[in-house]
């Protein structure tokens, strides 16, 4: 027997669909919907990468990690600003590694509070 989708001559796997249409139906609820492969793009990450185009993706990920952790813990915007100022070196440059260390400390403190 053939798949119940019009113009599909593949053999039935389950529920009247071939393997491709059955998988689409399970994923989306509609066997005719075709989705792009791979992860959905993180628009905030893309924006941050463009804003810090002179920095590596790894460096930008450190910045994003800090903001993600700070947001999950519930730190206010003014507190985030104070914490990011702690990552400024004496010569005025920004230390993304220091910011990553601050994020680690925030995470550890939040775990201690839970216990």
């Amino acid at each position: 027997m053939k798949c119940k989708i019009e113009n599909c001559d593949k053999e039935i796997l389950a529920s009247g669909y071939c393997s491709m249409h059955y998988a689409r139906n399970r994923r989306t609820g509609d066997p005719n919907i075709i989705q792009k492969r791979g992860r959905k793009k993180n628009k905030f990450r893309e924006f941050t990468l463009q804003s810090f185009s002179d920095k590596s993706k790894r460096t930008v990920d450190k910045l994003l990690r800090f903001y993600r952790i700070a947001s999950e813990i519930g730190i206010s915007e003014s507190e985030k600003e104070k914490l990011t100022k702690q990552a400024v070196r004496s010569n005025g440059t920004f230390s993304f590694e220091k910011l990553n260390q601050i994020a680690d400390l925030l995470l550890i403190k939040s775990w201690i509070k839970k216990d």
Side-chain angles (χ1 to χ4, degrees):
M1 298 208 26
K2 304 292 179 192
C3 180
K4 64 182 177 181
I5 299 297
E6 192 175 321
N7 299 326
C8 181
D9 296 331
K10 296 179 184 174
E11 294 294 318
I12 290 177
L13 172 72
S15 302
Y17 298 116
C18 66
S19 60
M20 178 181 68
H21 289 111
Y22 180 73
R24 285 182 186 170
N25 192 47
R26 285 192 59 212
R27 257 192 322 267
T28 67
D30 184 346
N32 294 310
I33 292 179
I34 302 170
Q35 292 182 327
K36 265 186 154 178
R37 289 181 178 220
R39 285 186 175 173
K40 291 184 178 178
K41 291 195 177 196
N42 181 334
K43 291 180 183 177
F44 182 67
R45 183 173 189 271
E46 296 298 317
F47 170 76
T48 310
L49 283 170
Q50 288 173 357
S51 300
F52 292 93
S53 59
D54 59 325
K55 306 292 182 201
S56 71
K57 288 183 180 181
R58 186 174 172 187
T59 299
V60 171
D61 284 339
K62 288 177 185 178
L63 176 67
L64 293 173
R65 180 176 180 269
F66 168 77
Y67 279 103
R68 182 179 48 80
I69 290 170
S71 295
E72 286 175 3
I73 294 171
I75 292 177
S76 68
E77 290 300 316
S78 60
E79 190 64 26
K80 286 179 198 173
E81 196 173 313
K82 288 177 190 174
L83 291 169
T84 53
K85 285 180 182 175
Q86 291 178 16
V88 176
R89 297 183 186 106
S90 57
N91 65 359
T93 60
F94 194 79
S95 171
F96 287 89
E97 185 56 37
K98 177 72 174 173
L99 194 64
N100 208 29
Q101 291 170 357
I102 292 169
D104 288 338
L105 289 172
L106 289 172
L107 204 53
I108 291 167
K109 285 179 183 178
S110 74
W111 291 337
I112 292 171
K113 284 182 184 177
K114 288 180 182 176
D115 292 337

